[in-house]
């Protein structure tokens, strides 16, 4: 099947961990890691590929993705990489309840519960039983640990809830290699996976990433079908090709700086405007002295005020927010945040990638 270049763009915009803080002064906190499967694509990853538009709006074409957006909201979809439980500590069966594996047991700071829906129309990756494929797993924040790879047993139906008894462990990988910078478009871990032979029909590939430097774990559900495919993806906008996880950045994409990561949320909105915030994370092992974040606002959006940061606007319409004096330094494995208000015609999320740039 022909490759579709429009599938090359990863999530354009991200959501933050601080949605409940409102207009309060936003201070430092622990920076969490992030990642789900990109090949075969997890439900959250492929749904955001399906939904993202060039205006800063979301418009899924897949009915399962649209339902998930309606039920769990935009924050979860823009935070596609953060299906996490900060206290899982490697625990699975007996700790994560059946029917909630795709939402990290509903213990994530985001509402991923709709991505547990037992339905057969999630986006699918087409594979060949007995073949060897290369798994690619997002490294929005890179940490050591194990990747436990499970596959549903023969006879499992996509219209039944996913439980631990449905799964068999087929691989464990420790500290696989990485390609691309952490916190960048397309950055990922990768390894080879030998798929079981004698399989046909629908299945779910479930991966639990168990960090060795933290109790935090990540959970990823990828819908696949064994039908002789070679990684083609169907059920998303422009489907019929294989999404590539390592696109060439467009000139408007801000560069990323490895240990620095920025995530964006809409705190609340009203007719003609909204309030947002951005969390700037330091995933490095040393304090970060100075930071800056850049993004291109959605079509018809204009930033009107910023607090806990200093705003500048470029001739291309991109905005840059740099640190204020009081929050210049971000401790290791911590974060700071700034807030803003904006006028808007309804496109409240950025166009293109939001990311850290050189201060």
């Amino acid at each position: 099947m022909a490759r579709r270049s429009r599938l090359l763009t990863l999530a354009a915009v991200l959501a933050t961990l601080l949605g409940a803080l409102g207009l309060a002064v936003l201070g430092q906190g622990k920076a969490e890691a992030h990642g789900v499967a990109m090949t075969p694509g997890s439900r959250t990853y492929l749904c955001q590929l399906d939904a993202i538009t060039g205006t800063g709006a979301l418009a899924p074409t897949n009915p399962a993705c649209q339902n998930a957006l309606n039920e769990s909201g935009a924050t979860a979809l823009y935070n596609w990489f953060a299906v996490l439980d900060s206290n899982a500590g490697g625990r699975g069966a007996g700790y994560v309840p059946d029917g909630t594996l795709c939402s990290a047991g509903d213990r994530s700071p985001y509402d991923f519960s709709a991505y547990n829906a037992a339905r057969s129309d999630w986006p699918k990756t087409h594979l060949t039983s007995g073949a060897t494929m290369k798994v690619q797993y997002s490294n929005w924040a890179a940490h050591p640990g194990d990747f436990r790879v499970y596959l549903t047993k023969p006879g499992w139906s996509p219209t039944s809830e996913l439980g631990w008894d449905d799964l068999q462990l087929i691989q464990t990988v420790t500290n696989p290699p990485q390609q691309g910078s952490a916190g960048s478009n397309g950055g990922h871990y990768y390894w080879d996976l030998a798929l079981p032979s004698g399989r046909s029909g629908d299945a779910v590939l479930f991966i639990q990433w168990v960090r060795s430097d933290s109790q935090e774990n990540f959970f990823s559900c990828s819908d696949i079908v064994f039908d002789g495919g070679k990684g083609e993806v169907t059920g998303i906008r422009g489907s019929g090709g294989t999404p590539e996880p390592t696109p060439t950045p467009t000139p408007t994409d801000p560069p990323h700086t490895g240990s620095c990561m920025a995530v964006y949320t809409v705190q609340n909105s009203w007719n003609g405007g909204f309030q947002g915030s951005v969390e700037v994370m330091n995933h490095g092992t040393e304090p970060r002295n100075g930071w800056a974040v850049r993004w291109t606002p959605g079509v018809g959006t204009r930033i009107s005020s910023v607090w806990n940061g200093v705003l500048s606007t470029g001739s291309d319409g991109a905005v840059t927010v740099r640190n204020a004096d009081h929050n210049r330094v971000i401790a290791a494995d911590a974060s700071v945040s700034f807030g803003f208000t904006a006028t808007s015609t309804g496109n409240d999320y950025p166009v293109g990638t939001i990311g850290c740039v050189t201060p």
Side-chain angles (χ1 to χ4, degrees), residues 22-61:
L23 285 168
V25 174
L26 303 176
Q28 292 197 347
K30 180 175 175 59
E32 296 176 320
H34 307 79
V36 292
M38 297 163 64
T39 304
S42 74
R43 289 176 181 177
T44 57
Y45 174 69
L46 291 182
C47 280
Q48 62 83 25
L49 277 183
D50 177 53
I52 205 69
T53 68
T55 66
L58 292 174
T61 65

Side-chain angles (χ1 to χ4, degrees), residues 115-135:
Y115 294 88
N116 291 310
R119 51 192 299 164
S120 59
D121 54 354
W122 290 107
K124 288 184 174 64
T125 302
H126 297 254
L127 300 171
T128 297
S129 178
T132 296
M133 68 166 297
K134 190 173 293 296
V135 176

Side-chain angles (χ1 to χ4, degrees), residues 142-335:
H143 288 276
D146 297 330
F147 293 84
R148 301 173 184 172
V149 183
Y150 298 83
L151 184 67
T152 49
K153 299 172 183 176
W156 175 81
S157 169
T159 56
S160 60
E161 73 172 22
L162 181 64
W164 289 99
D165 286 344
D166 298 315
L167 299 172
Q168 57 187 14
L169 181 67
I170 61 174
Q171 187 184 47
T172 299
V173 179
T174 302
N175 297 334
Q178 301 179 57
Q179 180 176 342
S181 298
S184 68
N185 268 359
H188 60 272
Y189 297 96
Y190 64 93
W191 66 88
D192 289 333
L193 170 64
L195 297 167
S197 59
R199 296 293 303 268
S200 63
D202 293 315
V204 164
L205 193 75
F206 173 75
I207 301 177
Q208 182 176 354
W209 177 15
V210 179
R211 287 179 57 181
S212 59
D213 61 347
S214 167
Q215 294 296 299
E216 185 179 66
N217 288 186
F218 286 81
F219 300 82
S220 177
C221 288
S222 299
D223 296 271
I224 63 176
V225 57
F226 290 110
D227 60 359
K230 298 181 179 179
E232 298 86 359
V233 175
T234 56
I236 64 174
R237 186 187 307 273
S239 59
T242 306
E244 293 286 348
T246 53
T248 301
T250 63
T252 58
D253 280 342
H256 293 259
T257 55
S259 63
C260 182
M261 175 180 168
V263 287
Y264 176 110
T265 194
V266 173
Q267 302 278 8
N268 54 74
S269 61
W270 52 88
N271 186 23
F274 67 97
Q275 175 197 334
S277 69
V278 174
E279 183 177 12
V280 187
M281 300 178 178
N282 176 17
H283 287 291
T285 58
E286 300 292 335
R288 185 177 188 86
N289 186 11
W291 52 265
V293 173
R294 188 172 76 220
W295 75 94
T296 299
V299 175
T301 295
R302 183 176 181 274
I303 309 298
S304 52
S305 67
V306 173
W307 55 94
N308 291 327
V310 179
L311 173 70
S312 62
T313 303
S315 59
D316 59 355
V319 297
T320 301
V321 176
R322 293 176 171 83
N323 60 269
D325 289 339
H326 67 272
N327 61 4
R328 178 181 182 84
V329 177
I330 309 177
D333 199 28
S335 64

Side-chain angles (χ1 to χ4, degrees), residues 59-84:
T61 65
N62 178 283
C65 296
Q66 181 65 66
N67 181 74
L69 175 61
N70 293 342
E71 292 192 9
S72 285
T75 295
L77 189 57
Y78 279 111
N79 239 337
W80 56 271
F81 47 78
V83 187
L84 63 91

